[in-house]
């Protein structure tokens, strides 16, 4: 790591925290406006994320290393041939909100400006596209009209469809701090699950899946009935209110009717509506519980409707706030990287086509929208797409109906993948693999949820022959321009030159109502670019003047389609994130302390429903999609946070970590018809017990694998932890072949329900422990993974057994210091600690990143409540 201090940005979520790389390692940047020095658990583990093994170092074609020159020719020729023989639309590119703005700008220019097709889509389709539609329909432009400082000013914060405490932790901490300062501030969480965010709120509205539109229509109705509308705002700054008013007047949206439909008591609903109606400074945060739905765009608009109709927008502490998922999802939207945008907040209207063609000096410009992610992979499956370039995303895990996506890619004549690792699931489908420089090895610009542009800076040499993604595109683009007989549109020698061209392009918006205009940076010098300080576009309060981007400058109300989805199966499956992992685990799965909080693929099952089926916690179950007959196997865990017939599974389990237990295998491709965003959050499935004859746990470094029906992997400091299960009994003889066949000696002990096998080597007269293998006919409930610390140590058998006995099933609360719920409860019960601050001092939990503080607080609260009840 460098001696000097480099200021850069965290590569994970859209909070966009500033990070400093210095002699101490990687710490929060105190001067960055987004985080003022704070980092969450993932941000705090950034230094460890750099120790990734299995980096992809050289370009490869069909598994063989080759040169960048050869591979550049190959790709450019493939695009050229496909264009010549099948037309531009026979090609595609699928990119990512984790690309930097410069990468994104060139990818968009490559496809729309040179190839001449808008078949470039991005994983932001799975993430933000419903919010983009909602903004465009309401404001005439994709604008987030909020700053983080609005959190500090607000008196009511509504968090709808977001588990902010886990997914945007530094922003969530800002909410908690605002609450400490302002006793009037109320927080309401709208989520079918009682998440850690909901547990901390003043009010939790546990609506059924997709109940949001009904809830917000009811809110408008309440405001109408209680004279809480802003008639002036509606008259001066909006259009279309009358039609919406007619809709919400329906008896379906009375509090009484809603109370029944949403299964919420009337008093609670009335109180929520009263708080909204009487609080001017209201911010409504929303994320994937809103976006990832068949009515995602309409849900977004129903939230915006409520803010417009009451005029709660455009002043400090008020407005609808779509929080972005990925670090540069916003930058990608600005550049225009979605298939249904052209560039720089412009669509495919005649004026935009003319201006963009002139700017890029191209006669090949795409003139109509391309295929959205799901449609794109369907076209690949049909054989319509001959070449696809996938960059910085892992669609065979993250797209719905993932087996279908895999089949599609197997059929595609040429799949090019740019990734930092060869181990990602998508890399297994590549004909051509391009080694990408990763975070710290590349540089460029990112935009966070509040429109703040921050520089990601390089502080490491890139590894092997890895190149920044923009450079790979530049090379291929240059070559393709030559093949097509065009002027070279890729004459860039640095990120700064790319950024300047992009900034100049946003100047096309000068003579329009569009707010995105960075043209004042079109001539910045290299030094100014390198010294860039976090800068927000759109001004501090972009919609303060009530002037929107439509020609008449008025905002639009949208009548949302209030879907009533009927249930045809026994269970609803909801999916999302865990606190300590990032997406498909390629960057976080190998970090032991992040792996500890959810150690294996787990499906959370509403406790009552589970009990009524006789389903035990820790038993393996099968989640099945009846339509496709696909299934995944995972460990069932009872969960009171879910309502009846609800399941929840995290999206992360992928690669060797999750084996075949990847939840998207059972998700359908159902998507919002307007945005194309898949409905990841409410899927109809069945849950079936799996008849398991043998459960296994291996701790060591040399696992002999074989075909199991279930297998998962957890990374530990000194060893690997493998969990597996089989429908066949594993015999004593088999045990000898599964574990560690390399150790000099094995001891096999009979246990009540199976065997314990310990492998060790004799070295200089002592026995060194190499592996521990347990095979049992019963689920292995204890978390024995910490026994990994003993691997490589001198073996004393009695110590092994006593430690094994101590590690009872417990939940990892603080990942940084590995403090479990059991340890916290023990400290409270013994009287050693009585408050969060004492726990933080004594056990250290929460004293590093603070991501677990909401859970620690919750444990203290529930302990205090038990005290009151027992007294
Ligand atoms: N730790 C961690 N943080 C991350 C990420 C990560 O991988 N790990 N990824 C980042 C990215 S790209 C994104 S997009 C964000 C996502 O951030 P969030 O949207 O906050 O996270 P999710 O867990 O996907 O889903 C949020 C909640 O929506 C709820 N929900 C489901 N259905 C409904 C519904 O019909 N209505 C309502 N109101 N709620 C519903 C779910 O129960 C869930 O608690 O997180 C970012 N931050
Ligand atoms: N069931 C379910 N599925 C979901 C969701 C859900 O809530 N539920 N959420 C969806 C959402 S919101 C999102 S954002 C997606 C995320 O899903 P993905 O984008 O597929 O997930 P990542 O694991 O972030 O994939 C990034 C890939 O890029 C590689 N990579 C990292 N850095 C670089 C780089 O600098 N250059 C290049 N070329 N490669 C790099 C990584 O190794 C990894 O393979 O998942 C979606 N899928
Ligand atoms: S909240 Fe955490 S993951 Fe998100 S940007 Fe900040 S440190 Fe990174
Ligand atoms: Mo996302």
């Amino acid at each position: 790591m460098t001696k000097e201090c480099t200021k850069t940005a965290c590569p994970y979520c859209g909070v966009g925290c500033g990070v400093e790389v210095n002699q101490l390692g990687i710490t929060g940047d105190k001067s960055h406006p987004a985080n003022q020095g704070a980092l969450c658990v993932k941000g705090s583990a950034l230094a460890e994320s750099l120790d990734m093994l299995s980096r992809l170092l050289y370009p490869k074609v069909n598994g063989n290393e080759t040169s960048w020159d050869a591979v550049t020719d190959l790709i450019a020729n493939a695009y050229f041939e496909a264009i010549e023989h099948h037309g531009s639309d026979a090609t595609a590119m699928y990119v990512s909100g984790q690309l930097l703005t410069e990468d994104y700008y060139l990818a968009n220019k490559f496809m729309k400006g040179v190839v001449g097709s808008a078949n470039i889509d991005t994983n932001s389709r799975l993430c933000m596209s419903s919010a983009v539609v909602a903004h465009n329909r309401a404001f005439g432009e994709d604008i987030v009209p909020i700053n983080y400082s609005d959190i500090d000013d607000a008196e009511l914060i509504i968090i709808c469809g977001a588990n902010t405490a886990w997914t945007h932790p530094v922003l969530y901490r800002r909410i908690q701090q605002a609450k400490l300062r302002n006793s009037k501030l109320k927080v309401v969480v709208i989520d079918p699950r009682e998440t850690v965010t909901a547990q901390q709120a003043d009010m939790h509205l546990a609506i059924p899946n997709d109940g949001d539109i009904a809830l917000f229509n009811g809110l408008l109705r309440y405001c109408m009935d209680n004279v809480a509308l802003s008639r002036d705002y509606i008259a001066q700054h909006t259009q279309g209110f009358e039609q919406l008013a007619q809709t919400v007047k329906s008896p379906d949206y009375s509090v009484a009717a809603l109370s029944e439909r949403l299964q919420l008591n009337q008093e609670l609903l009335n109180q929520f509506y009263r708080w909204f109606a009487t609080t001017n400074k209201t911010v409504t945060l929303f994320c994937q519980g809103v976006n990832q739905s068949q009515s995602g765009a309409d849900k977004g608009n129903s939230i915006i409707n409520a803010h417009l109709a009451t005029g709660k927008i455009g002043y400090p502490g008020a407005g609808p706030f779509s929080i972005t998922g990925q670090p540069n999802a916003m930058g990608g939207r600005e550049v225009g990287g979605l298939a249904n945008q052209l560039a720089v907040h412009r669509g495919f209207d005649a004026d935009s086509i003319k201006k963009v063609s002139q700017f890029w000096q191209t006669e090949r410009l795409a003139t109509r929208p391309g295929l959205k992610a799901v449609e794109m992979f369907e076209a690949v499956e049909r054989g319509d797409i001959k070449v696809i370039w996938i960059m910085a995303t892992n669609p065979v895990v993250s797209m719905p109906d993932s087996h279908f996506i895999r089949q599609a890619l197997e059929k595609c004549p040429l799949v090019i993948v740019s990734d930092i690792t060869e181990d990602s699931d998508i890399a297994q489908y590549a004909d051509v693999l391009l080694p990408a420089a990763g975070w710290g090895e590349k540089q460029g610009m990112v935009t966070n949820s509040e429109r703040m542009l921050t520089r990601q800076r390089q502080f490491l040499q890139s590894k092997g022959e890895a190149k920044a993604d923009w450079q790979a595109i530049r090379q291929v683009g240059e070559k393709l321009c030559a093949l097509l007989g065009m002027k070279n549109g890729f004459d860039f020698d640095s990120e700064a030159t790319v950024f300047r061209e992009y900034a100049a392009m946003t100047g096309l918006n000068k003579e329009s109502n569009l707010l995105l205009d960075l043209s004042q940076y079109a001539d910045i010098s290299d030094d100014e670019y390198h010294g860039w300080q976090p800068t927000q576009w759109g001004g501090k309060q972009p919609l303060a003047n009530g002037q929107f981007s439509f020609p008449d400058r008025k905002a639009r109300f949208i009548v949302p389609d209030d879907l009533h989805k009927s249930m045809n199966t026994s269970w609803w499956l909801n999916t999302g994130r865990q606190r300590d992992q990032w997406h498909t685990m390629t960057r976080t799965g190998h970090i032991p302390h992040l792996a500890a909080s959810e150690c294996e693929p787990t499906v959370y099952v509403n406790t009552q429903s589970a009990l009524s089926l006789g389903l035990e916690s820790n038993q393996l179950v099968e989640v099945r999609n009846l339509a496709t007959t696909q299934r995944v196997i995972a460990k069932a865990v009872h969960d009171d946070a879910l309502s009846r017939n609800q399941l929840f599974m995290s999206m992360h389990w992928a690669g060797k970590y999750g084996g075949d237990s990847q939840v998207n295998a059972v998700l359908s491709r159902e998507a919002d018809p307007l945005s194309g965003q898949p409905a990841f959050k409410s899927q109809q499935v069945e849950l079936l017990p799996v008849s398991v004859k043998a459960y296994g746990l291996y701790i060591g470094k040399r696992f002999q694998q074989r075909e199991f029906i279930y297998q998962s992997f957890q990374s530990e400091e000194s060893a690997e932890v493998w969990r597996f299960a089989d429908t066949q009994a594993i015999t004593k003889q088999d045990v000898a072949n599964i574990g560690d066949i390399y150790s000099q000696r094995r001891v096999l002990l009979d246990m009540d329900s199976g065997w314990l096998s310990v492998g060790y080597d004799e070295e200089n007269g002592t026995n060194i422990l190499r592996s521990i293998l347990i095979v049992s006919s019963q689920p292995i409930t204890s978390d024995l993974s910490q026994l990994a610390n003993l691997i490589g140590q001198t073996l004393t058998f009695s110590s092994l057994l006593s430690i094994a006995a101590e590690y009872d099933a417990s939940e990892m609360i603080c990942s940084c210091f590995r403090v479990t719920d059991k340890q916290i409860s023990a400290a409270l019960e013994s009287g050693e600690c009585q408050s969060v601050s004492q726990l933080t001092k004594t056990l250290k939990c929460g004293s590093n990143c603070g991501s677990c503080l909401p859970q620690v607080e919750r444990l203290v609260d529930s302990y205090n409540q038990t005290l009151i009840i027992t007294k």
Side-chain angles (χ1 to χ4, degrees):
M1 229 157 269
T2 57
K3 283 230 164 77
E4 292 141 35
C5 163
T6 307
K7 289 196 178 213
T8 178
C10 174
Y12 298 122
C13 85
V15 176
C17 296
V19 160
E20 227 174 76
V21 185
N22 49 40
Q23 293 99 315
L24 295 174
I26 298 182
T27 55
D29 174 0
K30 291 197 172 63
S31 67
H32 197 285
N35 59 320
Q36 285 133 9
L39 292 180
C40 76
V41 64
K42 296 184 301 307
S44 300
L46 272 169
E48 291 151 271
S49 77
L50 300 171
D51 300 333
M52 176 194 254
L53 300 168
S54 75
R55 275 298 297 274
L56 173 62
L57 300 176
Y58 304 98
K60 289 189 177 176
V61 177
N62 298 325
N64 303 315
E65 276 177 26
T66 184
S67 69
W68 270 102
D69 280 347
V71 89
T72 304
D73 284 351
L74 187 158
I75 300 170
N77 278 317
Y79 274 89
F80 180 68
E81 293 291 321
I83 296 167
E84 290 285 292
H85 295 113
H86 307 280
S88 304
D89 288 337
T91 70
M93 206 164 177
Y94 183 64
V95 300
S96 164
Q98 292 167 71
L99 289 179
L100 307 182
T101 297
E102 293 77 358
D103 305 322
Y104 236 130
Y105 175 76
L106 287 200
N108 200 43
K109 184 176 188 182
F110 174 77
M111 280 304 295
K112 290 177 186 149
V114 177
V115 172
S117 166
N119 282 348
I120 170 169
D121 214 36
T122 136
N123 63 3
S124 292
R125 180 70 56 197
L126 319 179
C127 183
M128 304 314 308
S129 59
S130 295
V132 173
V133 171
H135 291 149
N136 279 326
R137 287 197 299 177
F139 306 146
E141 185 174 359
D142 180 18
I143 294 166
V144 174
I146 284 284
N147 311 305
Y148 295 157
S149 61
D150 289 316
I151 298 288
D152 311 333
D153 292 319
E155 289 178 355
L156 173 63
I157 296 178
I158 302 168
I159 302 178
C160 185
N163 187 7
T164 318
W166 281 10
T167 53
H168 296 91
V170 169
L171 188 63
Y172 182 72
R173 212 174 322 157
R174 193 159 180 161
I175 298 176
Q176 284 183 307
Q177 282 160 353
K179 232 175 133 44
L180 288 178
R181 268 197 319 273
N182 177 2
S183 58
K184 282 210 300 207
L185 171 62
K186 301 250 181 333
V187 178
V188 177
V189 170
I190 303 166
D191 194 310
R193 283 196 306 155
E194 193 189 2
T195 56
V196 170
T197 313
Q199 286 165 358
Q200 301 289 300
D202 297 287
M203 181 188 286
H204 173 212
L205 298 173
I207 57 167
N209 286 72
D210 288 342
D212 309 76
I213 291 176
L215 181 75
F216 279 91
N217 278 355
L219 172 61
L220 259 191
R221 161 71 165 275
Y222 179 97
C223 291
M224 270 162 74
D225 292 350
N226 292 278
V227 211
L229 296 179
S230 177
R231 292 281 175 197
D232 285 351
Y233 197 89
I234 293 173
Q236 285 170 30
H237 301 297
T238 71
Q239 239 197 40
F241 185 69
E242 273 323 304
Q243 208 192 337
L244 180 62
Q246 283 308 321
T247 305
V248 304
K249 272 182 198 152
S250 141
D252 291 349
Y253 300 116
S254 69
V255 168
L258 285 171
S259 153
E260 197 161 313
R261 173 164 164 204
L262 301 178
Q263 295 149 42
L264 296 170
N265 81 45
Q266 292 197 25
E267 185 37 46
L268 195 67
L269 266 178
N270 271 316
Q271 193 178 4
F272 168 54
Y273 290 167
R274 201 176 318 121
W275 282 354
F276 185 90
T278 55
T279 316
N280 288 334
K281 292 184 174 172
T282 298
V283 173
T284 307
L285 270 80
F286 61 99
C287 205
Q288 301 313 339
V290 170
N291 296 341
Q292 290 173 340
S293 156
Q294 276 182 292
S295 50
D298 279 0
K299 283 194 195 184
N301 280 109
S302 70
I303 293 171
I304 297 173
N305 284 343
H307 278 269
L308 289 173
T310 51
K312 295 187 209 309
I313 187 166
Y315 53 86
F321 184 14
S322 148
I323 14 180
T324 43
Q326 300 174 91
N328 200 32
M330 192 72 118
R333 283 148 66 178
E334 289 156 10
V335 160
L338 288 160
N340 52 334
Q341 299 173 338
L342 182 52
V344 295
H345 279 195
R346 284 172 171 268
F348 292 87
D349 56 280
D351 177 53
S352 297
I353 288 172
K354 186 167 152 233
K355 288 205 165 80
V356 171
S357 301
Q358 279 168 357
F359 186 86
W360 278 343
Q361 299 180 31
T362 177
E363 288 170 5
R364 300 185 52 84
L365 191 76
T367 52
R368 58 192 157 90
L371 299 170
K372 302 187 181 106
V374 172
E375 299 164 347
M376 181 182 281
F377 284 95
E378 286 172 347
V380 172
E381 200 273 340
R382 284 196 305 273
D384 296 350
I385 287 179
K386 312 294 177 195
V387 43
I388 185 167
W389 189 350
I390 296 169
M391 190 175 271
T393 177
N394 199 357
V396 292
V397 182
S398 56
M399 288 283 293
D401 199 1
S402 51
H403 284 284
F404 175 85
I405 307 295
R406 285 167 194 251
Q407 274 167 21
L409 289 174
E410 270 163 9
K411 284 188 180 173
C412 187
L414 186 66
V415 178
I416 303 148
V417 171
S418 297
D419 206 311
I420 53 172
T421 167
E422 247 175 302
D423 279 356
S424 69
D425 307 69
I426 186 61
Q428 316 316 311
Y429 291 81
D431 301 299
V432 176
L433 263 177
L434 299 178
W439 182 75
E441 302 164 0
K442 64 188 291 195
Q443 52 181 337
M445 203 67 88
V446 290
T447 312
N448 73 2
S449 294
E450 59 162 354
R451 312 177 312 284
M452 182 78 74
L453 275 77
T454 298
R455 277 290 315 279
Q456 266 197 18
R457 293 188 174 85
Q458 187 175 353
F459 56 90
L460 293 171
Q461 283 293 321
S462 62
K463 302 218 165 47
E465 288 183 12
K467 277 185 199 282
D469 292 299
W470 72 267
Q471 284 181 324
I473 306 167
R474 185 195 60 75
Q475 288 180 196
V476 175
E478 209 163 35
K479 183 87 198 172
L480 185 61
C481 286
L483 289 171
L484 290 166
M486 291 169 69
K487 182 170 174 287
N488 179 12
F490 292 87
D491 186 14
F492 300 101
D493 60 7
S494 65
E495 298 82 2
T497 49
V498 182
F499 182 77
R500 284 191 286 262
E501 182 175 303
Y502 161 59
M505 189 180 202
T506 62
L508 298 181
N509 295 339
K510 262 198 181 330
E511 284 158 27
S512 73
N513 294 336
L514 296 171
L515 280 183
L516 176 69
D517 178 7
L518 304 168
S519 57
Q520 59 182 307
Y521 309 112
D523 298 317
I524 56 171
S525 66
D526 287 355
D527 282 349
E528 283 167 325
Y529 177 78
H530 291 302
W532 180 275
Q533 296 300 310
T535 307
Q536 218 179 8
W537 68 262
K540 199 67 194 157
Q541 216 78 53
L543 300 176
N545 54 6
Q547 298 294 298
F548 296 86
S549 305
F550 286 111
D552 62 3
R553 313 306 307 258
K554 291 191 172 187
R556 304 288 193 267
F557 286 103
I558 301 292
V559 180
D561 190 2
D562 182 6
L563 281 181
H564 283 260
K565 249 189 171 177
S566 60
M567 183 153 164
N568 304 318
T569 52
S570 319
W571 297 87
W572 286 112
L573 172 64
N574 177 358
T575 66
R577 286 153 179 82
Q578 289 294 333
R579 191 190 66 195
D580 295 353
Q581 287 298 334
W582 179 256
H583 293 168
T584 68
M585 299 172 104
T586 64
R587 289 195 291 174
T588 45
H590 66 284
I591 305 173
H593 72 92
L594 296 185
S597 57
E598 191 184 70
C599 322
E600 66 181 308
T602 304
V603 56
Y604 300 88
V605 188
N606 166 261
T607 310
Q608 277 180 305
S609 310
L611 289 174
S612 67
L613 288 179
L615 206 70
E616 305 275 339
S617 243
N618 293 305
Q619 159 182 357
L620 283 184
V621 290
E622 173 185 323
V623 182
R624 185 182 280 262
N625 178 321
L626 290 184
T628 62
T629 71
Q630 294 294 343
R631 65 171 195 173
V632 286
I633 293 176
K635 180 173 88 168
V637 166
H638 293 176
D639 189 352
D640 292 326
L642 295 163
S643 42
R644 264 186 172 272
N645 306 321
Q646 295 268 337
L647 307 174
F648 181 84
M649 205 170 159
S650 78
M651 60 167 291
H652 305 297
W653 293 100
K656 69 176 172 189
Y657 304 101
D660 290 333
S661 297
Q662 306 186 357
V663 71
N664 284 5
V666 294
L667 299 198
S668 71
R669 278 174 271 139
E670 281 172 346
D672 180 309
L674 297 165
S675 67
Q677 182 155 353
F680 287 114
K681 298 263 183 282
S682 56
Q683 295 274 331
Q684 307 205 2
V685 293
E686 289 299 341
L687 189 68
L688 307 162
V690 180
S691 112
V692 174
K693 292 272 168 47
Y695 288 87
L697 175 77
Y698 170 87
I699 304 172
K701 288 185 175 168
R702 303 182 292 205
F703 185 45
Q704 269 301 95
Q705 301 193 22
R706 61 170 226 198
E707 287 276 304
F708 295 113
I709 56 145
Y710 169 83
Q711 182 173 301
S712 71
F713 173 82
Q714 180 189 353
S715 194
E716 273 288 353
E717 217 66 74
S718 332
E720 300 179 342
V721 179
W722 292 90
R723 293 177 176 81
F724 56 93
D726 218 338
T727 46
Q728 306 292 318
I730 294 178
T731 63
K732 204 166 182 173
Q733 185 51 40
D734 286 339
V735 171
N737 293 329
I738 292 172
D740 174 359
I741 56 169
Y742 307 101
S743 293
Q744 293 167 357
R745 298 200 183 159
R746 303 273 299 271
V747 198
L748 196 62
L749 289 178
D750 281 312
M751 299 189 308
D752 284 352
S753 55
W755 296 279
L756 167 67
S757 156
V758 177
Y760 59 97
D761 290 339
E762 210 181 276
E763 275 179 21
N764 307 325
T766 54
N767 291 331
I768 309 291
L769 179 64
R770 297 293 181 210
S771 68
I772 302 167
L773 170 71
I774 298 168
V775 173
S776 167
S777 59
Q778 298 302 313
I780 300 164
T781 52
S782 307
D783 175 16
L784 296 167
S785 54
Q786 294 207 20
L787 292 180
N789 296 333
L790 299 178
I791 302 293
Q793 309 261 336
T794 309
L795 173 75
T796 59
F797 204 65
S798 57
S799 69
L800 178 75
L801 288 182
S802 68
I803 290 170
E806 251 177 55
Y807 284 113
D808 209 357
S810 53
E811 190 189 348
M812 189 62 67
I813 300 292
C814 171
S815 301
C816 298
F817 293 107
R818 297 197 83 139
V819 184
T820 65
D821 58 343
K822 286 250 160 74
Q823 289 167 283
I824 294 174
S825 300
L828 292 168
E829 271 156 28
S830 68
E832 191 188 358
C833 298
Q834 281 160 348
S835 64
V836 175
S837 60
Q838 283 171 342
L839 284 164
T840 310
K841 257 195 216 124
T842 316
L843 300 178
K844 295 180 106 177
C845 48
S847 61
N848 183 36
C849 71
S851 295
C852 64
L853 282 173
Q855 283 149 288
V856 179
E857 262 168 44
R858 172 83 182 158
L859 287 172
V860 175
D861 285 352
S862 62
Y863 178 73
N864 288 341
Q865 265 170 15
T866 337
L867 276 188
I868 295 165
I869 293 163
T870 42
K871 270 180 192 163

